[in-house]
Amino acid sequence: MSDNANKTDKPSAAEAALLPPVDVVEDGGGITLYAELPGVPKDQLVLQVEADTLTIAGEIRLAMPEGMESSHVEVNVPRYRRVFTLSKELDTQQIAAEFDKGVLRLRIPKAAHAQPRKIEIRVD
Amino acid sequence: MLYRNLYPRDLFAELDRLQRALQQGGDVSPNIRGGSRGGYPAMNVGGTPNSVEIYAFLPGIDPAAIEVQLEKGVLTIAGERRIEYPRNDEKTTVHIDERFAGRFRRVVTLPDDIDPNAVHARYRDGVLHVSIARAAAAQPRRIVIQ
């Protein structure tokens, strides 16, 4: 990746970003998403839901001593970003988020009308 | 003489493969140990005249469960990461499964001038930061001319 990516400060959609690894698990009540954003403090995490698009983004802040020169770099862009398209039955008003030790846990419940129901069959 | 390729490649399959390769860091043939560069966890290494700084990206782990060992100038970071989903029943479906799970071990060879007794390890926001001071004798000194 280019060095320029490390020098800019303003986050924008055009900027280079790392794709955080995620797990997405669905059960009857909704979807749980786990995303890994190590190095992102809580105040640098950005979660956005716009229409049916969920954006997870975060800026990496590492405590580096003054004058440090990198000799080997694997995490070479200081930010993460990933976008997901949500489906209609998910209730975006009820999203709950937890962020601990670089792992984000998002719980997106299904809207009440979309919860699975067992349909009883009556035989007359 | 030119021969026509009997098995032309499917352009879309090639694009797909290329895209996957790019996402994995541009390495087309992966390492036998899986990662295209170093494996898990990802690491950044840097240094100042007074110290060597190592950052291991290890989110969501109990810091007490990470083994950090320094032996003969070799730093080892090892441990195990378990991933469990609450309410796991037969109705649970895993749609995407990208996070690393299992045992990991990474080894870094340190420069000769480090002081093995001056090591600090800190875990913050899912990053393990190991800072090792360089031996005082190895630090650049200004030599006074008499």
Side-chain angles (χ1 to χ4, degrees), chain B residues 142-146:
Chain B
R142 199 193 158 104
I143 295 156
V144 184
I145 305 165
Q146 293 183 332

Side-chain angles (χ1 to χ4, degrees), chain A residues 7-48:
Chain A
K7 284 170 189 159
T8 42
D9 285 304
K10 282 182 201 160
S12 79
E15 252 178 349
L18 300 170
L19 215 57
V22 300
D23 283 359
V24 176
V25 185
E26 180 170 1
D27 56 58
I31 279 183
T32 312
L33 181 149
Y34 303 85
E36 298 196 338
L37 306 111
V40 177
K42 226 171 214 165
D43 58 341
Q44 293 294 325
L45 179 76
V46 179
L47 291 174
Q48 226 173 21

Side-chain angles (χ1 to χ4, degrees), chain B residues 23-61:
Chain B
Q23 277 175 357
Q24 283 163 13
D27 206 346
V28 181
S29 51
N31 185 295
I32 189 103
R33 293 198 169 84
S36 57
R37 267 186 103 170
Y40 190 87
M43 274 189 184
N44 284 4
V45 182
T48 68
N50 310 317
S51 66
V52 177
E53 312 286 335
I54 292 141
Y55 300 87
F57 293 79
L58 265 173
I61 200 161

